[in-house]
């Protein structure tokens, strides 16, 4: 392993891990459990990091795989009631905060409607990953990543438009 500290990795990529967990889990307590599973998986895998990709893509790859496993496990025991999203906002007027929270909530709900492959790419795309980084993270080509991103974006636009029209 290179000179990579687990604490530094978690401190640097905590937001990324939280947002990946948010894209896959609606229930706040289950989402926290998923994030802990991801952190544990990163801790276990970090000694194997050899610098063949960026640390960011390595960590995101671990998080994506753990999230997909989590979703697969949860699919066998479906939730009968979805809990609402409570996303904090900073220094906004109440009406602005409500609009921002509504947009975030609709985006998260739309993300959860995507196929796993589209959700993986959309989550990484929203994190600012390049097509090359998405490909490295998911083990696909950059062209395949680009196509998945285009399809995910089209599906999100359609779902957000449909949800907005209601």
């Amino acid at each position: 392993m290179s000179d990579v500290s687990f604490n530094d990795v978690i401190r640097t990529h905590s937001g990324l891990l939280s947002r990946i967990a948010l894209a896959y889990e609606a229930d706040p307590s289950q989402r926290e459990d998923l994030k802990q599973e991801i952190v544990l998986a990163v801790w276990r895998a970090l000694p194997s990091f050899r610098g063949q990709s960026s640390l960011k893509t390595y960590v995101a790859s671990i998080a994506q795989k753990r999230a997909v496993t989590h979703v697969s496990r949860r699919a066998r025991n479906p939730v009968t009631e979805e809990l609402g999203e409570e996303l904090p906002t900073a220094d906004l007027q109440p009406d602005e905060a409500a609009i921002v929270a509504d947009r975030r909530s609709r985006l998260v709900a739309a993300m959860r409607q995507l196929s796993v492959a589209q959700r993986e790419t959309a989550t990484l795309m929203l994190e600012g990953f390049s097509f090359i980084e998405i490909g490295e993270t998911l083990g696909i080509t950059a062209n395949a990543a680009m196509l998945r991103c285009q399809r995910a974006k089209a599906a999100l636009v359609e779902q957000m438009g449909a949800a907005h029209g209601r």
Side-chain angles (χ1 to χ4, degrees), residues 16-43:
L16 169 68
L17 301 180
S18 294
R19 289 183 293 273
I20 289 173
L22 177 63
Y24 285 87
E25 183 56 68
D27 181 321
S29 67
Q30 290 292 322
R31 185 169 50 245
E32 188 58 34
D33 288 348
L34 173 57
K35 186 170 179 196
Q36 292 304 314
E37 289 177 32
I38 291 169
V39 168
L40 179 61
V42 168
W43 178 73

Short mmCIF file of all heavy atoms in Angstrom, two decimals, residues 16-43:
data_model
loop_
_atom_site.label_atom_id
_atom_site.label_comp_id
_atom_site.label_asym_id
_atom_site.label_seq_id
_atom_site.Cartn_x
_atom_site.Cartn_y
_atom_site.Cartn_z
N LEU A 16 -18.64 11.87 -0.74
CA LEU A 16 -18.86 10.95 -1.86
C LEU A 16 -19.55 9.69 -1.37
O LEU A 16 -20.55 9.25 -1.95
CB LEU A 16 -17.53 10.61 -2.53
CG LEU A 16 -17.54 9.48 -3.56
CD1 LEU A 16 -18.32 9.87 -4.79
CD2 LEU A 16 -16.11 9.10 -3.93
N LEU A 17 -19.05 9.11 -0.28
CA LEU A 17 -19.63 7.88 0.25
C LEU A 17 -21.07 8.11 0.71
O LEU A 17 -21.95 7.28 0.48
CB LEU A 17 -18.78 7.35 1.40
CG LEU A 17 -17.32 7.02 1.04
CD1 LEU A 17 -16.57 6.51 2.27
CD2 LEU A 17 -17.23 6.04 -0.11
N SER A 18 -21.32 9.25 1.35
CA SER A 18 -22.67 9.57 1.81
C SER A 18 -23.64 9.72 0.64
O SER A 18 -24.77 9.24 0.70
CB SER A 18 -22.67 10.87 2.64
OG SER A 18 -21.96 10.70 3.83
N ARG A 19 -23.18 10.39 -0.40
CA ARG A 19 -24.06 10.60 -1.56
C ARG A 19 -24.32 9.29 -2.31
O ARG A 19 -25.42 9.07 -2.82
CB ARG A 19 -23.49 11.68 -2.47
CG ARG A 19 -23.59 13.07 -1.83
CD ARG A 19 -23.09 14.17 -2.75
NE ARG A 19 -21.67 14.10 -3.00
CZ ARG A 19 -20.72 14.64 -2.24
NH1 ARG A 19 -21.05 15.30 -1.15
NH2 ARG A 19 -19.45 14.53 -2.58
N ILE A 20 -23.34 8.42 -2.39
CA ILE A 20 -23.57 7.11 -3.01
C ILE A 20 -24.59 6.33 -2.18
O ILE A 20 -25.53 5.75 -2.73
CB ILE A 20 -22.25 6.33 -3.19
CG1 ILE A 20 -21.40 6.99 -4.29
CG2 ILE A 20 -22.52 4.86 -3.52
CD1 ILE A 20 -20.01 6.42 -4.46
N ALA A 21 -24.44 6.35 -0.87
CA ALA A 21 -25.41 5.66 0.00
C ALA A 21 -26.80 6.27 -0.18
O ALA A 21 -27.80 5.54 -0.25
CB ALA A 21 -24.96 5.73 1.45
N LEU A 22 -26.90 7.60 -0.28
CA LEU A 22 -28.18 8.27 -0.46
C LEU A 22 -28.85 7.86 -1.77
O LEU A 22 -30.06 7.70 -1.83
CB LEU A 22 -27.98 9.79 -0.43
CG LEU A 22 -29.22 10.65 -0.67
CD1 LEU A 22 -30.25 10.43 0.44
CD2 LEU A 22 -28.84 12.11 -0.75
N ALA A 23 -28.05 7.65 -2.81
CA ALA A 23 -28.61 7.26 -4.11
C ALA A 23 -29.21 5.86 -4.08
O ALA A 23 -30.06 5.53 -4.90
CB ALA A 23 -27.53 7.33 -5.18
N TYR A 24 -28.80 5.05 -3.13
CA TYR A 24 -29.25 3.66 -3.09
C TYR A 24 -30.21 3.33 -1.95
O TYR A 24 -30.87 2.30 -2.00
CB TYR A 24 -28.04 2.72 -2.99
CG TYR A 24 -27.29 2.60 -4.29
CD1 TYR A 24 -26.29 3.50 -4.63
CD2 TYR A 24 -27.61 1.60 -5.19
CE1 TYR A 24 -25.62 3.40 -5.83
CE2 TYR A 24 -26.93 1.49 -6.40
CZ TYR A 24 -25.95 2.40 -6.71
OH TYR A 24 -25.29 2.30 -7.90
N GLU A 25 -30.29 4.17 -0.92
CA GLU A 25 -31.09 3.81 0.25
C GLU A 25 -31.93 5.00 0.71
O GLU A 25 -31.41 6.06 1.01
CB GLU A 25 -30.18 3.33 1.38
CG GLU A 25 -30.92 2.88 2.61
CD GLU A 25 -31.95 1.79 2.35
OE1 GLU A 25 -31.55 0.66 2.00
OE2 GLU A 25 -33.15 2.06 2.51
N ALA A 26 -33.26 4.80 0.78
CA ALA A 26 -34.18 5.86 1.20
C ALA A 26 -34.29 5.95 2.72
O ALA A 26 -34.38 7.03 3.27
CB ALA A 26 -35.56 5.61 0.60
N ASP A 27 -34.31 4.83 3.38
CA ASP A 27 -34.49 4.78 4.83
C ASP A 27 -33.23 5.32 5.52
O ASP A 27 -32.14 4.77 5.35
CB ASP A 27 -34.74 3.33 5.24
CG ASP A 27 -34.98 3.16 6.73
OD1 ASP A 27 -34.31 3.84 7.53
OD2 ASP A 27 -35.83 2.33 7.09
N PRO A 28 -33.36 6.40 6.31
CA PRO A 28 -32.17 7.01 6.93
C PRO A 28 -31.35 6.05 7.79
O PRO A 28 -30.12 6.08 7.74
CB PRO A 28 -32.75 8.14 7.79
CG PRO A 28 -34.05 8.48 7.13
CD PRO A 28 -34.57 7.19 6.58
N SER A 29 -31.99 5.18 8.56
CA SER A 29 -31.21 4.26 9.39
C SER A 29 -30.53 3.19 8.54
O SER A 29 -29.38 2.83 8.79
CB SER A 29 -32.08 3.61 10.48
OG SER A 29 -33.05 2.76 9.90
N GLN A 30 -31.20 2.72 7.51
CA GLN A 30 -30.59 1.75 6.59
C GLN A 30 -29.47 2.41 5.79
O GLN A 30 -28.46 1.78 5.49
CB GLN A 30 -31.64 1.17 5.63
CG GLN A 30 -32.64 0.26 6.30
CD GLN A 30 -31.98 -1.03 6.77
OE1 GLN A 30 -31.10 -1.57 6.12
NE2 GLN A 30 -32.40 -1.50 7.93
N ARG A 31 -29.66 3.69 5.45
CA ARG A 31 -28.63 4.42 4.73
C ARG A 31 -27.37 4.57 5.59
O ARG A 31 -26.26 4.41 5.11
CB ARG A 31 -29.16 5.80 4.31
CG ARG A 31 -28.19 6.57 3.45
CD ARG A 31 -28.80 7.81 2.81
NE ARG A 31 -29.51 8.68 3.71
CZ ARG A 31 -30.83 8.92 3.66
NH1 ARG A 31 -31.58 8.37 2.74
NH2 ARG A 31 -31.38 9.73 4.53
N GLU A 32 -27.56 4.83 6.88
CA GLU A 32 -26.41 4.93 7.78
C GLU A 32 -25.72 3.58 7.90
O GLU A 32 -24.49 3.50 7.91
CB GLU A 32 -26.85 5.43 9.16
CG GLU A 32 -25.71 5.75 10.08
CD GLU A 32 -24.73 6.79 9.54
OE1 GLU A 32 -25.14 7.72 8.83
OE2 GLU A 32 -23.52 6.66 9.83
N ASP A 33 -26.50 2.50 7.97
CA ASP A 33 -25.91 1.16 7.99
C ASP A 33 -25.12 0.90 6.71
O ASP A 33 -24.02 0.34 6.76
CB ASP A 33 -27.00 0.09 8.13
CG ASP A 33 -27.62 0.03 9.52
OD1 ASP A 33 -27.06 0.66 10.45
OD2 ASP A 33 -28.66 -0.63 9.67
N LEU A 34 -25.68 1.30 5.57
CA LEU A 34 -24.99 1.12 4.29
C LEU A 34 -23.68 1.90 4.29
O LEU A 34 -22.65 1.38 3.87
CB LEU A 34 -25.88 1.56 3.13
CG LEU A 34 -25.21 1.59 1.74
CD1 LEU A 34 -24.62 0.25 1.37
CD2 LEU A 34 -26.20 2.07 0.70
N LYS A 35 -23.72 3.13 4.78
CA LYS A 35 -22.48 3.92 4.80
C LYS A 35 -21.43 3.23 5.67
O LYS A 35 -20.26 3.19 5.32
CB LYS A 35 -22.73 5.34 5.28
CG LYS A 35 -21.45 6.17 5.15
CD LYS A 35 -21.64 7.63 5.37
CE LYS A 35 -20.29 8.33 5.24
NZ LYS A 35 -20.27 9.64 5.78
N GLN A 36 -21.85 2.67 6.80
CA GLN A 36 -20.90 1.96 7.67
C GLN A 36 -20.35 0.73 6.96
O GLN A 36 -19.16 0.42 7.08
CB GLN A 36 -21.56 1.59 9.00
CG GLN A 36 -21.88 2.78 9.87
CD GLN A 36 -20.66 3.62 10.16
OE1 GLN A 36 -19.60 3.12 10.50
NE2 GLN A 36 -20.80 4.94 10.01
N GLU A 37 -21.20 0.02 6.22
CA GLU A 37 -20.73 -1.13 5.45
C GLU A 37 -19.70 -0.69 4.41
O GLU A 37 -18.69 -1.37 4.19
CB GLU A 37 -21.91 -1.79 4.71
CG GLU A 37 -22.88 -2.55 5.57
CD GLU A 37 -24.05 -3.11 4.76
OE1 GLU A 37 -23.85 -3.45 3.57
OE2 GLU A 37 -25.16 -3.18 5.32
N ILE A 38 -19.96 0.44 3.78
CA ILE A 38 -19.03 0.97 2.77
C ILE A 38 -17.70 1.33 3.42
O ILE A 38 -16.64 0.98 2.90
CB ILE A 38 -19.65 2.19 2.05
CG1 ILE A 38 -20.83 1.75 1.17
CG2 ILE A 38 -18.60 2.93 1.23
CD1 ILE A 38 -21.66 2.90 0.61
N VAL A 39 -17.75 2.03 4.55
CA VAL A 39 -16.52 2.43 5.24
C VAL A 39 -15.72 1.19 5.64
O VAL A 39 -14.49 1.16 5.47
CB VAL A 39 -16.85 3.32 6.46
CG1 VAL A 39 -15.63 3.51 7.36
CG2 VAL A 39 -17.38 4.67 6.00
N LEU A 40 -16.40 0.17 6.15
CA LEU A 40 -15.72 -1.07 6.52
C LEU A 40 -15.08 -1.72 5.28
O LEU A 40 -13.93 -2.19 5.34
CB LEU A 40 -16.69 -2.04 7.19
CG LEU A 40 -16.12 -3.38 7.62
CD1 LEU A 40 -14.99 -3.21 8.64
CD2 LEU A 40 -17.22 -4.27 8.19
N ALA A 41 -15.81 -1.73 4.17
CA ALA A 41 -15.28 -2.32 2.94
C ALA A 41 -14.05 -1.54 2.45
O ALA A 41 -13.07 -2.15 1.99
CB ALA A 41 -16.36 -2.35 1.86
N VAL A 42 -14.09 -0.23 2.57
CA VAL A 42 -12.93 0.59 2.18
C VAL A 42 -11.75 0.26 3.08
O VAL A 42 -10.63 0.08 2.61
CB VAL A 42 -13.27 2.10 2.24
CG1 VAL A 42 -12.02 2.96 2.12
CG2 VAL A 42 -14.28 2.47 1.14
N TRP A 43 -12.00 0.17 4.37
CA TRP A 43 -10.93 -0.16 5.33
C TRP A 43 -10.29 -1.50 4.99
O TRP A 43 -9.07 -1.63 5.01
CB TRP A 43 -11.50 -0.17 6.75
CG TRP A 43 -10.51 -0.54 7.80
CD1 TRP A 43 -9.47 0.22 8.27
CD2 TRP A 43 -10.45 -1.78 8.51
NE1 TRP A 43 -8.78 -0.46 9.23
CE2 TRP A 43 -9.36 -1.70 9.40
CE3 TRP A 43 -11.21 -2.94 8.47
CZ2 TRP A 43 -9.01 -2.73 10.25
CZ3 TRP A 43 -10.86 -3.97 9.32
CH2 TRP A 43 -9.78 -3.86 10.19
#
